Amino acid sequence: GSATNSEKSGRPGRPGNVLTALKALSAMIAMIAMIAAFCVLAVPPAILAAHGAESSADERARHERVAAALVEVHTHADEPDLYSPWQSLGVERYQGSGVVIEGGRILTAAHVVSHPVALTVKRQGTTKRRPARVTFVGAACDLAIVEVDDPTLFEDVEPLKIGDLPRLGDSVTAYGFPLGGDPISVTAGIVSRIEIGEYGYSGEQLL
């Protein structure tokens, strides 16, 4: 009577049913593994190696192109003293990152070139500094345009284009000189959040 009741309720009443089910499951797993192995082996190793080499070569070419367009921005700034307008806070030195864009211009952060009394730029991996000047400041978004008169700065440099806004989950890479020094800093990650935030330089609420 107990076996009949268990069969009606949907529970296996005999140990043989459990063993049969386990054997069927094992056979199914083995078949799936065999199909997966066949799919991997169906791709010639030469194609897999070529694909990996091509991806690595493309990544290296992109890295070199971006690194060549990076510049160090050096600023000697004399900020006004808002509490004593008849004097300044004294000359201080700042350093930031910039990138060559089309038109022989350099895009950098506005706070890096604020109140300049002397401004120079230096290409990544070189020692020569070239005089520069600020031609436009977008204080709200903390961006500025810097230009130089020496055309040799742009030799063998491919200007970078301003792309679209990345989407959530996109892979991104940041290049620059956040801590100063000659070697560039490269940080890779993904876009984990897109939101409105306050810009420290202007206090504006922007992306």
PDB file of all heavy atoms in Angstrom, residues 101-138:
ATOM      1  N   ILE A 101      44.017  66.165 -30.178  1.00  0.00           N
ATOM      2  CA  ILE A 101      42.816  65.964 -30.965  1.00  0.00           C
ATOM      3  C   ILE A 101      42.986  66.693 -32.293  1.00  0.00           C
ATOM      4  O   ILE A 101      44.004  67.348 -32.530  1.00  0.00           O
ATOM      5  CB  ILE A 101      41.552  66.454 -30.215  1.00  0.00           C
ATOM      6  CG1 ILE A 101      41.672  67.950 -29.887  1.00  0.00           C
ATOM      7  CG2 ILE A 101      41.351  65.656 -28.934  1.00  0.00           C
ATOM      8  CD1 ILE A 101      40.416  68.535 -29.243  1.00  0.00           C
ATOM      9  N   GLU A 102      41.996  66.588 -33.154  1.00  0.00           N
ATOM     10  CA  GLU A 102      42.123  67.162 -34.490  1.00  0.00           C
ATOM     11  C   GLU A 102      42.268  68.678 -34.432  1.00  0.00           C
ATOM     12  O   GLU A 102      41.853  69.327 -33.470  1.00  0.00           O
ATOM     13  CB  GLU A 102      40.901  66.788 -35.331  1.00  0.00           C
ATOM     14  CG  GLU A 102      39.580  67.280 -34.775  1.00  0.00           C
ATOM     15  CD  GLU A 102      38.410  66.840 -35.623  1.00  0.00           C
ATOM     16  OE1 GLU A 102      38.637  66.178 -36.638  1.00  0.00           O
ATOM     17  OE2 GLU A 102      37.266  67.189 -35.266  1.00  0.00           O
ATOM     18  N   GLY A 103      42.863  69.221 -35.485  1.00  0.00           N
ATOM     19  CA  GLY A 103      43.060  70.658 -35.559  1.00  0.00           C
ATOM     20  C   GLY A 103      44.309  71.140 -34.850  1.00  0.00           C
ATOM     21  O   GLY A 103      44.451  72.350 -34.595  1.00  0.00           O
ATOM     22  N   GLY A 104      45.222  70.239 -34.508  1.00  0.00           N
ATOM     23  CA  GLY A 104      46.431  70.657 -33.813  1.00  0.00           C
ATOM     24  C   GLY A 104      46.144  71.210 -32.429  1.00  0.00           C
ATOM     25  O   GLY A 104      46.818  72.128 -31.963  1.00  0.00           O
ATOM     26  N   ARG A 105      45.158  70.629 -31.765  1.00  0.00           N
ATOM     27  CA  ARG A 105      44.770  71.100 -30.430  1.00  0.00           C
ATOM     28  C   ARG A 105      44.989  69.999 -29.399  1.00  0.00           C
ATOM     29  O   ARG A 105      45.119  68.818 -29.734  1.00  0.00           O
ATOM     30  CB  ARG A 105      43.307  71.538 -30.431  1.00  0.00           C
ATOM     31  CG  ARG A 105      43.027  72.710 -31.354  1.00  0.00           C
ATOM     32  CD  ARG A 105      41.528  72.961 -31.484  1.00  0.00           C
ATOM     33  NE  ARG A 105      40.860  71.847 -32.144  1.00  0.00           N
ATOM     34  CZ  ARG A 105      39.540  71.752 -32.289  1.00  0.00           C
ATOM     35  NH1 ARG A 105      38.760  72.700 -31.814  1.00  0.00           N
ATOM     36  NH2 ARG A 105      39.009  70.715 -32.907  1.00  0.00           N
ATOM     37  N   ILE A 106      45.006  70.404 -28.138  1.00  0.00           N
ATOM     38  CA  ILE A 106      45.188  69.477 -27.031  1.00  0.00           C
ATOM     39  C   ILE A 106      44.017  69.647 -26.073  1.00  0.00           C
ATOM     40  O   ILE A 106      43.700  70.764 -25.647  1.00  0.00           O
ATOM     41  CB  ILE A 106      46.512  69.736 -26.299  1.00  0.00           C
ATOM     42  CG1 ILE A 106      47.684  69.479 -27.244  1.00  0.00           C
ATOM     43  CG2 ILE A 106      46.628  68.880 -25.047  1.00  0.00           C
ATOM     44  CD1 ILE A 106      49.019  69.915 -26.690  1.00  0.00           C
ATOM     45  N   LEU A 107      43.381  68.538 -25.739  1.00  0.00           N
ATOM     46  CA  LEU A 107      42.273  68.543 -24.783  1.00  0.00           C
ATOM     47  C   LEU A 107      42.811  68.149 -23.417  1.00  0.00           C
ATOM     48  O   LEU A 107      43.492  67.133 -23.266  1.00  0.00           O
ATOM     49  CB  LEU A 107      41.196  67.551 -25.227  1.00  0.00           C
ATOM     50  CG  LEU A 107      39.970  67.421 -24.320  1.00  0.00           C
ATOM     51  CD1 LEU A 107      39.168  68.723 -24.301  1.00  0.00           C
ATOM     52  CD2 LEU A 107      39.090  66.256 -24.781  1.00  0.00           C
ATOM     53  N   THR A 108      42.518  68.970 -22.420  1.00  0.00           N
ATOM     54  CA  THR A 108      42.984  68.701 -21.065  1.00  0.00           C
ATOM     55  C   THR A 108      41.915  69.129 -20.074  1.00  0.00           C
ATOM     56  O   THR A 108      40.818  69.541 -20.467  1.00  0.00           O
ATOM     57  CB  THR A 108      44.320  69.433 -20.793  1.00  0.00           C
ATOM     58  OG1 THR A 108      44.827  69.031 -19.518  1.00  0.00           O
ATOM     59  CG2 THR A 108      44.138  70.937 -20.822  1.00  0.00           C
ATOM     60  N   ALA A 109      42.224  69.054 -18.799  1.00  0.00           N
ATOM     61  CA  ALA A 109      41.277  69.453 -17.756  1.00  0.00           C
ATOM     62  C   ALA A 109      41.433  70.932 -17.443  1.00  0.00           C
ATOM     63  O   ALA A 109      42.556  71.451 -17.395  1.00  0.00           O
ATOM     64  CB  ALA A 109      41.491  68.618 -16.494  1.00  0.00           C
ATOM     65  N   ALA A 110      40.317  71.605 -17.219  1.00  0.00           N
ATOM     66  CA  ALA A 110      40.358  73.045 -16.951  1.00  0.00           C
ATOM     67  C   ALA A 110      41.105  73.356 -15.655  1.00  0.00           C
ATOM     68  O   ALA A 110      41.819  74.366 -15.574  1.00  0.00           O
ATOM     69  CB  ALA A 110      38.935  73.603 -16.901  1.00  0.00           C
ATOM     70  N   HIS A 111      40.965  72.496 -14.655  1.00  0.00           N
ATOM     71  CA  HIS A 111      41.621  72.814 -13.381  1.00  0.00           C
ATOM     72  C   HIS A 111      43.140  72.704 -13.480  1.00  0.00           C
ATOM     73  O   HIS A 111      43.857  73.273 -12.648  1.00  0.00           O
ATOM     74  CB  HIS A 111      41.093  71.894 -12.265  1.00  0.00           C
ATOM     75  CG  HIS A 111      41.514  70.458 -12.403  1.00  0.00           C
ATOM     76  ND1 HIS A 111      40.739  69.513 -13.034  1.00  0.00           N
ATOM     77  CD2 HIS A 111      42.638  69.806 -11.990  1.00  0.00           C
ATOM     78  CE1 HIS A 111      41.348  68.342 -12.992  1.00  0.00           C
ATOM     79  NE2 HIS A 111      42.508  68.492 -12.375  1.00  0.00           N
ATOM     80  N   VAL A 112      43.646  71.991 -14.488  1.00  0.00           N
ATOM     81  CA  VAL A 112      45.092  71.865 -14.666  1.00  0.00           C
ATOM     82  C   VAL A 112      45.701  73.157 -15.203  1.00  0.00           C
ATOM     83  O   VAL A 112      46.833  73.509 -14.867  1.00  0.00           O
ATOM     84  CB  VAL A 112      45.416  70.685 -15.608  1.00  0.00           C
ATOM     85  CG1 VAL A 112      46.908  70.637 -15.934  1.00  0.00           C
ATOM     86  CG2 VAL A 112      44.976  69.376 -14.980  1.00  0.00           C
ATOM     87  N   VAL A 113      44.947  73.891 -16.027  1.00  0.00           N
ATOM     88  CA  VAL A 113      45.479  75.094 -16.680  1.00  0.00           C
ATOM     89  C   VAL A 113      44.817  76.361 -16.156  1.00  0.00           C
ATOM     90  O   VAL A 113      44.813  77.396 -16.818  1.00  0.00           O
ATOM     91  CB  VAL A 113      45.310  74.994 -18.213  1.00  0.00           C
ATOM     92  CG1 VAL A 113      46.139  73.851 -18.762  1.00  0.00           C
ATOM     93  CG2 VAL A 113      43.835  74.800 -18.588  1.00  0.00           C
ATOM     94  N   SER A 114      44.280  76.310 -14.965  1.00  0.00           N
ATOM     95  CA  SER A 114      43.618  77.477 -14.390  1.00  0.00           C
ATOM     96  C   SER A 114      44.631  78.504 -13.903  1.00  0.00           C
ATOM     97  O   SER A 114      45.634  78.157 -13.269  1.00  0.00           O
ATOM     98  CB  SER A 114      42.730  77.029 -13.217  1.00  0.00           C
ATOM     99  OG  SER A 114      42.094  78.115 -12.615  1.00  0.00           O
ATOM    100  N   HIS A 115      44.395  79.785 -14.225  1.00  0.00           N
ATOM    101  CA  HIS A 115      45.238  80.918 -13.794  1.00  0.00           C
ATOM    102  C   HIS A 115      46.713  80.718 -14.149  1.00  0.00           C
ATOM    103  O   HIS A 115      47.600  80.856 -13.297  1.00  0.00           O
ATOM    104  CB  HIS A 115      45.105  81.155 -12.289  1.00  0.00           C
ATOM    105  CG  HIS A 115      43.701  81.274 -11.805  1.00  0.00           C
ATOM    106  ND1 HIS A 115      42.890  82.335 -12.128  1.00  0.00           N
ATOM    107  CD2 HIS A 115      42.946  80.437 -11.031  1.00  0.00           C
ATOM    108  CE1 HIS A 115      41.697  82.167 -11.575  1.00  0.00           C
ATOM    109  NE2 HIS A 115      41.700  81.028 -10.916  1.00  0.00           N
ATOM    110  N   PRO A 116      47.029  80.430 -15.400  1.00  0.00           N
ATOM    111  CA  PRO A 116      48.430  80.154 -15.743  1.00  0.00           C
ATOM    112  C   PRO A 116      49.252  81.434 -15.908  1.00  0.00           C
ATOM    113  O   PRO A 116      48.795  82.436 -16.432  1.00  0.00           O
ATOM    114  CB  PRO A 116      48.311  79.407 -17.075  1.00  0.00           C
ATOM    115  CG  PRO A 116      47.086  80.008 -17.713  1.00  0.00           C
ATOM    116  CD  PRO A 116      46.141  80.299 -16.573  1.00  0.00           C
ATOM    117  N   VAL A 117      50.481  81.386 -15.456  1.00  0.00           N
ATOM    118  CA  VAL A 117      51.455  82.424 -15.786  1.00  0.00           C
ATOM    119  C   VAL A 117      52.519  81.851 -16.715  1.00  0.00           C
ATOM    120  O   VAL A 117      53.232  82.593 -17.388  1.00  0.00           O
ATOM    121  CB  VAL A 117      52.118  82.994 -14.514  1.00  0.00           C
ATOM    122  CG1 VAL A 117      51.101  83.749 -13.688  1.00  0.00           C
ATOM    123  CG2 VAL A 117      52.771  81.893 -13.689  1.00  0.00           C
ATOM    124  N   ALA A 118      52.626  80.538 -16.746  1.00  0.00           N
ATOM    125  CA  ALA A 118      53.512  79.836 -17.678  1.00  0.00           C
ATOM    126  C   ALA A 118      52.910  78.458 -17.923  1.00  0.00           C
ATOM    127  O   ALA A 118      52.474  77.794 -16.988  1.00  0.00           O
ATOM    128  CB  ALA A 118      54.926  79.708 -17.122  1.00  0.00           C
ATOM    129  N   LEU A 119      52.876  78.069 -19.201  1.00  0.00           N
ATOM    130  CA  LEU A 119      52.240  76.802 -19.570  1.00  0.00           C
ATOM    131  C   LEU A 119      53.083  76.112 -20.633  1.00  0.00           C
ATOM    132  O   LEU A 119      53.432  76.715 -21.659  1.00  0.00           O
ATOM    133  CB  LEU A 119      50.825  77.058 -20.103  1.00  0.00           C
ATOM    134  CG  LEU A 119      50.014  75.848 -20.560  1.00  0.00           C
ATOM    135  CD1 LEU A 119      49.738  74.912 -19.392  1.00  0.00           C
ATOM    136  CD2 LEU A 119      48.702  76.301 -21.188  1.00  0.00           C
ATOM    137  N   THR A 120      53.436  74.859 -20.397  1.00  0.00           N
ATOM    138  CA  THR A 120      54.205  74.077 -21.367  1.00  0.00           C
ATOM    139  C   THR A 120      53.593  72.679 -21.474  1.00  0.00           C
ATOM    140  O   THR A 120      52.921  72.207 -20.550  1.00  0.00           O
ATOM    141  CB  THR A 120      55.684  73.938 -20.964  1.00  0.00           C
ATOM    142  OG1 THR A 120      55.771  73.319 -19.678  1.00  0.00           O
ATOM    143  CG2 THR A 120      56.354  75.297 -20.932  1.00  0.00           C
ATOM    144  N   VAL A 121      53.853  72.037 -22.621  1.00  0.00           N
ATOM    145  CA  VAL A 121      53.407  70.658 -22.815  1.00  0.00           C
ATOM    146  C   VAL A 121      54.593  69.828 -23.281  1.00  0.00           C
ATOM    147  O   VAL A 121      55.520  70.340 -23.919  1.00  0.00           O
ATOM    148  CB  VAL A 121      52.252  70.564 -23.837  1.00  0.00           C
ATOM    149  CG1 VAL A 121      51.040  71.322 -23.341  1.00  0.00           C
ATOM    150  CG2 VAL A 121      52.680  71.086 -25.196  1.00  0.00           C
ATOM    151  N   LYS A 122      54.560  68.556 -22.959  1.00  0.00           N
ATOM    152  CA  LYS A 122      55.637  67.636 -23.298  1.00  0.00           C
ATOM    153  C   LYS A 122      55.033  66.320 -23.726  1.00  0.00           C
ATOM    154  O   LYS A 122      54.149  65.786 -23.052  1.00  0.00           O
ATOM    155  CB  LYS A 122      56.560  67.435 -22.095  1.00  0.00           C
ATOM    156  CG  LYS A 122      57.735  66.512 -22.361  1.00  0.00           C
ATOM    157  CD  LYS A 122      58.667  66.482 -21.167  1.00  0.00           C
ATOM    158  CE  LYS A 122      58.108  65.629 -20.046  1.00  0.00           C
ATOM    159  NZ  LYS A 122      58.183  64.184 -20.380  1.00  0.00           N
ATOM    160  N   ARG A 123      55.492  65.810 -24.853  1.00  0.00           N
ATOM    161  CA  ARG A 123      54.996  64.523 -25.326  1.00  0.00           C
ATOM    162  C   ARG A 123      55.478  63.394 -24.435  1.00  0.00           C
ATOM    163  O   ARG A 123      56.577  63.446 -23.887  1.00  0.00           O
ATOM    164  CB  ARG A 123      55.420  64.267 -26.766  1.00  0.00           C
ATOM    165  CG  ARG A 123      54.551  65.012 -27.747  1.00  0.00           C
ATOM    166  CD  ARG A 123      54.610  64.532 -29.137  1.00  0.00           C
ATOM    167  NE  ARG A 123      54.675  63.110 -29.352  1.00  0.00           N
ATOM    168  CZ  ARG A 123      54.983  62.588 -30.539  1.00  0.00           C
ATOM    169  NH1 ARG A 123      55.256  63.391 -31.559  1.00  0.00           N
ATOM    170  NH2 ARG A 123      55.026  61.287 -30.708  1.00  0.00           N
ATOM    171  N   GLN A 124      54.676  62.383 -24.342  1.00  0.00           N
ATOM    172  CA  GLN A 124      54.997  61.214 -23.535  1.00  0.00           C
ATOM    173  C   GLN A 124      56.271  60.559 -24.046  1.00  0.00           C
ATOM    174  O   GLN A 124      56.444  60.334 -25.231  1.00  0.00           O
ATOM    175  CB  GLN A 124      53.826  60.226 -23.596  1.00  0.00           C
ATOM    176  CG  GLN A 124      53.938  59.070 -22.628  1.00  0.00           C
ATOM    177  CD  GLN A 124      54.695  57.893 -23.186  1.00  0.00           C
ATOM    178  OE1 GLN A 124      55.481  57.266 -22.479  1.00  0.00           O
ATOM    179  NE2 GLN A 124      54.506  57.587 -24.449  1.00  0.00           N
ATOM    180  N   GLY A 125      57.216  60.322 -23.122  1.00  0.00           N
ATOM    181  CA  GLY A 125      58.457  59.662 -23.495  1.00  0.00           C
ATOM    182  C   GLY A 125      59.528  60.578 -24.043  1.00  0.00           C
ATOM    183  O   GLY A 125      60.571  60.104 -24.496  1.00  0.00           O
ATOM    184  N   THR A 126      59.294  61.908 -24.035  1.00  0.00           N
ATOM    185  CA  THR A 126      60.293  62.863 -24.517  1.00  0.00           C
ATOM    186  C   THR A 126      60.661  63.819 -23.391  1.00  0.00           C
ATOM    187  O   THR A 126      60.068  63.786 -22.304  1.00  0.00           O
ATOM    188  CB  THR A 126      59.764  63.665 -25.724  1.00  0.00           C
ATOM    189  OG1 THR A 126      58.669  64.495 -25.299  1.00  0.00           O
ATOM    190  CG2 THR A 126      59.277  62.726 -26.819  1.00  0.00           C
ATOM    191  N   THR A 127      61.638  64.676 -23.656  1.00  0.00           N
ATOM    192  CA  THR A 127      62.085  65.623 -22.630  1.00  0.00           C
ATOM    193  C   THR A 127      61.834  67.076 -23.014  1.00  0.00           C
ATOM    194  O   THR A 127      61.909  67.958 -22.151  1.00  0.00           O
ATOM    195  CB  THR A 127      63.591  65.439 -22.356  1.00  0.00           C
ATOM    196  OG1 THR A 127      64.320  65.615 -23.575  1.00  0.00           O
ATOM    197  CG2 THR A 127      63.865  64.037 -21.810  1.00  0.00           C
ATOM    198  N   LYS A 128      61.547  67.354 -24.287  1.00  0.00           N
ATOM    199  CA  LYS A 128      61.395  68.729 -24.744  1.00  0.00           C
ATOM    200  C   LYS A 128      60.026  69.277 -24.367  1.00  0.00           C
ATOM    201  O   LYS A 128      58.999  68.679 -24.664  1.00  0.00           O
ATOM    202  CB  LYS A 128      61.572  68.811 -26.266  1.00  0.00           C
ATOM    203  CG  LYS A 128      61.496  70.233 -26.805  1.00  0.00           C
ATOM    204  CD  LYS A 128      61.725  70.269 -28.312  1.00  0.00           C
ATOM    205  CE  LYS A 128      61.646  71.697 -28.836  1.00  0.00           C
ATOM    206  NZ  LYS A 128      61.888  71.750 -30.304  1.00  0.00           N
ATOM    207  N   ARG A 129      60.048  70.448 -23.720  1.00  0.00           N
ATOM    208  CA  ARG A 129      58.801  71.132 -23.374  1.00  0.00           C
ATOM    209  C   ARG A 129      58.571  72.288 -24.342  1.00  0.00           C
ATOM    210  O   ARG A 129      59.491  73.041 -24.661  1.00  0.00           O
ATOM    211  CB  ARG A 129      58.846  71.656 -21.944  1.00  0.00           C
ATOM    212  CG  ARG A 129      58.921  70.573 -20.883  1.00  0.00           C
ATOM    213  CD  ARG A 129      58.736  71.151 -19.499  1.00  0.00           C
ATOM    214  NE  ARG A 129      58.867  70.145 -18.465  1.00  0.00           N
ATOM    215  CZ  ARG A 129      58.660  70.384 -17.168  1.00  0.00           C
ATOM    216  NH1 ARG A 129      58.322  71.614 -16.770  1.00  0.00           N
ATOM    217  NH2 ARG A 129      58.802  69.427 -16.283  1.00  0.00           N
ATOM    218  N   ARG A 130      57.334  72.418 -24.775  1.00  0.00           N
ATOM    219  CA  ARG A 130      56.985  73.461 -25.737  1.00  0.00           C
ATOM    220  C   ARG A 130      55.994  74.436 -25.093  1.00  0.00           C
ATOM    221  O   ARG A 130      55.037  74.002 -24.448  1.00  0.00           O
ATOM    222  CB  ARG A 130      56.371  72.836 -26.983  1.00  0.00           C
ATOM    223  CG  ARG A 130      57.341  71.931 -27.759  1.00  0.00           C
ATOM    224  CD  ARG A 130      56.604  71.123 -28.793  1.00  0.00           C
ATOM    225  NE  ARG A 130      57.526  70.384 -29.673  1.00  0.00           N
ATOM    226  CZ  ARG A 130      58.034  69.196 -29.376  1.00  0.00           C
ATOM    227  NH1 ARG A 130      57.721  68.610 -28.216  1.00  0.00           N
ATOM    228  NH2 ARG A 130      58.824  68.574 -30.228  1.00  0.00           N
ATOM    229  N   PRO A 131      56.207  75.744 -25.298  1.00  0.00           N
ATOM    230  CA  PRO A 131      55.257  76.724 -24.759  1.00  0.00           C
ATOM    231  C   PRO A 131      53.864  76.514 -25.342  1.00  0.00           C
ATOM    232  O   PRO A 131      53.702  76.158 -26.513  1.00  0.00           O
ATOM    233  CB  PRO A 131      55.850  78.072 -25.193  1.00  0.00           C
ATOM    234  CG  PRO A 131      57.294  77.778 -25.481  1.00  0.00           C
ATOM    235  CD  PRO A 131      57.347  76.377 -25.988  1.00  0.00           C
ATOM    236  N   ALA A 132      52.869  76.731 -24.516  1.00  0.00           N
ATOM    237  CA  ALA A 132      51.482  76.542 -24.937  1.00  0.00           C
ATOM    238  C   ALA A 132      50.623  77.659 -24.378  1.00  0.00           C
ATOM    239  O   ALA A 132      51.055  78.424 -23.505  1.00  0.00           O
ATOM    240  CB  ALA A 132      50.971  75.177 -24.483  1.00  0.00           C
ATOM    241  N   ARG A 133      49.394  77.735 -24.867  1.00  0.00           N
ATOM    242  CA  ARG A 133      48.455  78.751 -24.397  1.00  0.00           C
ATOM    243  C   ARG A 133      47.057  78.151 -24.348  1.00  0.00           C
ATOM    244  O   ARG A 133      46.723  77.255 -25.131  1.00  0.00           O
ATOM    245  CB  ARG A 133      48.472  79.976 -25.322  1.00  0.00           C
ATOM    246  CG  ARG A 133      48.035  79.676 -26.740  1.00  0.00           C
ATOM    247  CD  ARG A 133      48.186  80.899 -27.648  1.00  0.00           C
ATOM    248  NE  ARG A 133      47.688  80.616 -28.998  1.00  0.00           N
ATOM    249  CZ  ARG A 133      48.377  79.967 -29.926  1.00  0.00           C
ATOM    250  NH1 ARG A 133      49.604  79.543 -29.660  1.00  0.00           N
ATOM    251  NH2 ARG A 133      47.849  79.738 -31.114  1.00  0.00           N
ATOM    252  N   VAL A 134      46.264  78.652 -23.452  1.00  0.00           N
ATOM    253  CA  VAL A 134      44.874  78.205 -23.319  1.00  0.00           C
ATOM    254  C   VAL A 134      44.010  79.021 -24.274  1.00  0.00           C
ATOM    255  O   VAL A 134      44.042  80.254 -24.251  1.00  0.00           O
ATOM    256  CB  VAL A 134      44.374  78.372 -21.872  1.00  0.00           C
ATOM    257  CG1 VAL A 134      42.923  77.909 -21.749  1.00  0.00           C
ATOM    258  CG2 VAL A 134      45.268  77.596 -20.905  1.00  0.00           C
ATOM    259  N   THR A 135      43.255  78.340 -25.132  1.00  0.00           N
ATOM    260  CA  THR A 135      42.399  79.035 -26.095  1.00  0.00           C
ATOM    261  C   THR A 135      40.917  78.896 -25.776  1.00  0.00           C
ATOM    262  O   THR A 135      40.104  79.649 -26.304  1.00  0.00           O
ATOM    263  CB  THR A 135      42.655  78.511 -27.519  1.00  0.00           C
ATOM    264  OG1 THR A 135      42.430  77.101 -27.551  1.00  0.00           O
ATOM    265  CG2 THR A 135      44.086  78.801 -27.940  1.00  0.00           C
ATOM    266  N   PHE A 136      40.551  77.946 -24.949  1.00  0.00           N
ATOM    267  CA  PHE A 136      39.143  77.797 -24.573  1.00  0.00           C
ATOM    268  C   PHE A 136      39.047  77.043 -23.257  1.00  0.00           C
ATOM    269  O   PHE A 136      39.799  76.095 -23.019  1.00  0.00           O
ATOM    270  CB  PHE A 136      38.359  77.035 -25.649  1.00  0.00           C
ATOM    271  CG  PHE A 136      36.895  76.912 -25.350  1.00  0.00           C
ATOM    272  CD1 PHE A 136      36.021  77.946 -25.630  1.00  0.00           C
ATOM    273  CD2 PHE A 136      36.387  75.758 -24.769  1.00  0.00           C
ATOM    274  CE1 PHE A 136      34.674  77.831 -25.334  1.00  0.00           C
ATOM    275  CE2 PHE A 136      35.038  75.640 -24.474  1.00  0.00           C
ATOM    276  CZ  PHE A 136      34.181  76.680 -24.765  1.00  0.00           C
ATOM    277  N   VAL A 137      38.110  77.475 -22.421  1.00  0.00           N
ATOM    278  CA  VAL A 137      37.875  76.819 -21.132  1.00  0.00           C
ATOM    279  C   VAL A 137      36.391  76.553 -20.974  1.00  0.00           C
ATOM    280  O   VAL A 137      35.569  77.470 -21.113  1.00  0.00           O
ATOM    281  CB  VAL A 137      38.386  77.681 -19.950  1.00  0.00           C
ATOM    282  CG1 VAL A 137      37.992  77.045 -18.620  1.00  0.00           C
ATOM    283  CG2 VAL A 137      39.886  77.857 -20.023  1.00  0.00           C
ATOM    284  N   GLY A 138      36.039  75.306 -20.712  1.00  0.00           N
ATOM    285  CA  GLY A 138      34.672  74.934 -20.350  1.00  0.00           C
ATOM    286  C   GLY A 138      34.655  74.636 -18.871  1.00  0.00           C
ATOM    287  O   GLY A 138      34.803  73.473 -18.465  1.00  0.00           O
TER     288      GLY A 138
END
